[in-house]
């Protein structure tokens, strides 16, 4: 049996930073006050990448790119106001840090999320969204969820915002291998101690050349004195993230307009040329710490931890652990290396919305959004569906990040209030 809730004007699926910024915008923007809205989040409370809260890790963004400042610096939901509330504003200034720790930014998000506790149904996973047709018009959506006890719940909504983040990308070579041999970074902290602590000289392969790979590699070397960590990456070197000022403009709001207006092919080329602002790159400071660690090993004449750059994984065999066949991209030679555990820092796919909205797929002919993140739907749809965080191809590299969350939220709320659905929904002032 399903429990049915009262119909809403707007439901948001997922309550990560993107929909949290949307909640802040809905609470603050004139005209949105009379909307009845709520969110459904599968986690038991607000958590932000909780399995990658590695001690001391920092965010890759200025604290000014918080939930509100870019939209309205006078909002009570700014990071500066959070610091003020916590009595740390002066101490934070003394730190002279542009990028807070991940732990502090999570605490900030959680502090902001606490203002919306009565709007969020935590511990419920959305399983499907169905169109509700009346007289040939789809003016409502049915959102089907399941809670931790297995109970099924049904909600009706006039409009929908999907912001469900990424799902772990597992390379085909690692699919189907024993679960105790493989960890994706998205579950690193939950599984780290169980698989490495007190297990003796565990041979850990960390696969990937980006920030998460470097963080996990370094964490293993520091936390588990008996473990032997090997970082395996395809590129010839760990590369620093380019966060120089001109390049950083790729994350500005104006860049979204420019990118969106481009022809598809030119846009693809531009995004590819700027990928090293976010993908397969590492904090300069962390690269230096890793290099210094390897150098200290050479001084001590030990080679417990290694960085194997320029290696592509040709095959993976499960035999007394894992055997990885690694091709050296310079010499072409293939060498086999044995490990007890592989930690995959292989990124995320941003396609979960396709499964959630599969019930509408036949009507949509794709999952393309317009400039204001609204899914293109047939004229028979008066319901509006917005997608956040899965539009990198059309909106550029900031799409999966925190960079423009408040402005994107404002654009979505503005579009919602524009009343372009044929139903009466006008701004009130
Ligand atoms: C380790 C790590 C560090 C990062 N650091 C930065 C950074 O410093 N700066 C930056 O700009 N970006 C960073 N990013 C990028 C990251 O995507 C954004 O920071 C941010 O999390 C995007 O917010 P989101 O709400 O779109 O997605 P998420 O934060 O992934 O939130 C999505 C939410 O939806 C929920 N959900 C998913 N499916 C369902 C469902 N079916 N039903 C109900 N709920 C569901 C999830 O539980 C989750 O809470 C980082 C990413 C990672 C992995």
């Amino acid at each position: 049996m399903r429990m049915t809730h009262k119909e809403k004007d707007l439901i948001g699926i997922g309550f990560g930073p993107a929909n949290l910024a949307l909640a802040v915008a809905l609470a603050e923007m004139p005209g949105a006050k009379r909307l009845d809205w709520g969110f459904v989040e599968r986690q038991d409370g607000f958590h932000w990448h909780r399995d990658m809260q590695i001690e001391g890790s920092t965010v890759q963004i200025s604290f000014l790119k918080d939930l509100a400042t870019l939209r309205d610096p006078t909002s009570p939901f700014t990071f500066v106001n959070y610091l003020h509330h916590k009595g740390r504003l002066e101490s934070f200034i003394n730190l002279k840090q542009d990028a807070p720790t991940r732990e502090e930014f999570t605490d900030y998000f959680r502090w902001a999320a606490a203002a919306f506790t009565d709007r969020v149904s935590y511990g419920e996973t959305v399983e499907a969204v169905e169109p509700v047709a009346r007289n040939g018009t789809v003016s409502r959506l049915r959102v089907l969820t399941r809670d931790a006890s297995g109970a099924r719940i049904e909600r009706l909504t006039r409009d929908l915002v999907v912001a469900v983040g990424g799902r772990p990308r597992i390379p085909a070579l690692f699919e189907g291998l024993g679960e105790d041999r493989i960890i994706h970074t998205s579950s690193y902290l939950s599984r780290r101690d169980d698989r490495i602590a007190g297990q003796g000289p565990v041979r850990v392969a960390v696969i990937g050349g980006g920030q998460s790979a470097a963080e996990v590699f370094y964490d293993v070397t520091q936390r588990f004195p008996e473990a032997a960590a090997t970082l395996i990456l395809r590129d010839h070197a760990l590369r620093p993230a380019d966060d120089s000022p001109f390049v950083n403009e790729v994350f500005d709001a104006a860049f979204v307009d420019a990118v969106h207006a481009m022809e598809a092919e030119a846009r693809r080329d531009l995004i590819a040329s700027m990928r090293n602002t976010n993908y397969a790159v590492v904090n300069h400071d962390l690269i230096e710490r890793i290099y210094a660690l390897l150098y200290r090993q050479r001084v001590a004449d030990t080679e417990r931890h290694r960085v194997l750059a320029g290696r592509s994984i040709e095959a993976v065999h499960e035999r007394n652990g894992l055997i990885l066949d690694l091709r050296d991209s310079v010499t072409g030679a293939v060498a086999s290396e044995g490990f007890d555990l592989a930690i995959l820092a292989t990124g995320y796919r941003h396609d979960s919305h396709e499964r959630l909205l599969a019930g509408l797929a036949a009507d949509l002919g794709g999952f393309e959004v317009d400039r204001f993140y609204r899914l293109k739907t047939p004229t028979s749809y008066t319901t509006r569906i917005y997608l956040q965080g899965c539009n990198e191809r059309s909106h550029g590299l900031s799409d999966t990040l925190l960079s423009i969350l408040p402005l994107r939220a404002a654009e979505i709320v503005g579009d919602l209030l524009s009343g372009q659905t044929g139903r009466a929904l006008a701004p009130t002032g």
Side-chain angles (χ1 to χ4, degrees), residues 8-16 18-23 26 36-42 119-122 124-126 129 141 143-145 155-165 356-357 384-388 412 416:
K8 297 263 184 226
D9 292 322
L10 177 70
I11 287 182
I13 305 182
F15 201 59
N19 268 347
L20 174 54
L22 184 74
L26 284 165
D36 184 12
W37 46 271
F39 293 87
V40 182
E41 165 56 51
R42 71 177 168 199
R119 300 269 193 181
V120 188
S121 302
Y122 287 108
E124 269 184 57
T125 302
V126 177
V129 176
L141 296 167
V143 179
L144 302 170
T145 75
R155 292 179 170 79
L156 281 184
T157 185
R158 292 198 299 197
D159 298 314
L160 185 75
V161 181
V162 181
V164 289
L356 284 178
L357 301 177
R384 292 166 297 181
I385 302 164
Y386 298 85
L387 304 180
Q388 300 203 69
I412 291 174
L416 267 168

Side-chain angles (χ1 to χ4, degrees), residues 13-20 40-43 45-49 52-53 58-61 102 105 109 124-127 145 163-166 185 212 215 278 348 350 352 355-356 388-389 398-403 405 408:
I13 305 182
F15 201 59
N19 268 347
L20 174 54
V40 182
E41 165 56 51
R42 71 177 168 199
Q43 298 188 90
F46 188 93
H47 300 285
W48 183 53
H49 302 307
M52 281 298 284
Q53 296 284 335
T58 58
V59 297
Q60 318 286 300
I61 203 156
R102 219 171 268 161
F105 228 49
F109 286 147
E124 269 184 57
T125 302
V126 177
E127 295 187 325
T145 75
V164 289
T185 47
S212 291
E215 283 181 12
N278 185 43
Y348 293 81
H350 291 271
S352 300
R355 192 182 53 77
L356 284 178
Q388 300 203 69
S398 58
D399 194 73
T400 63
L401 304 175
L402 303 174
S403 318
L405 292 188
R408 184 169 73 196

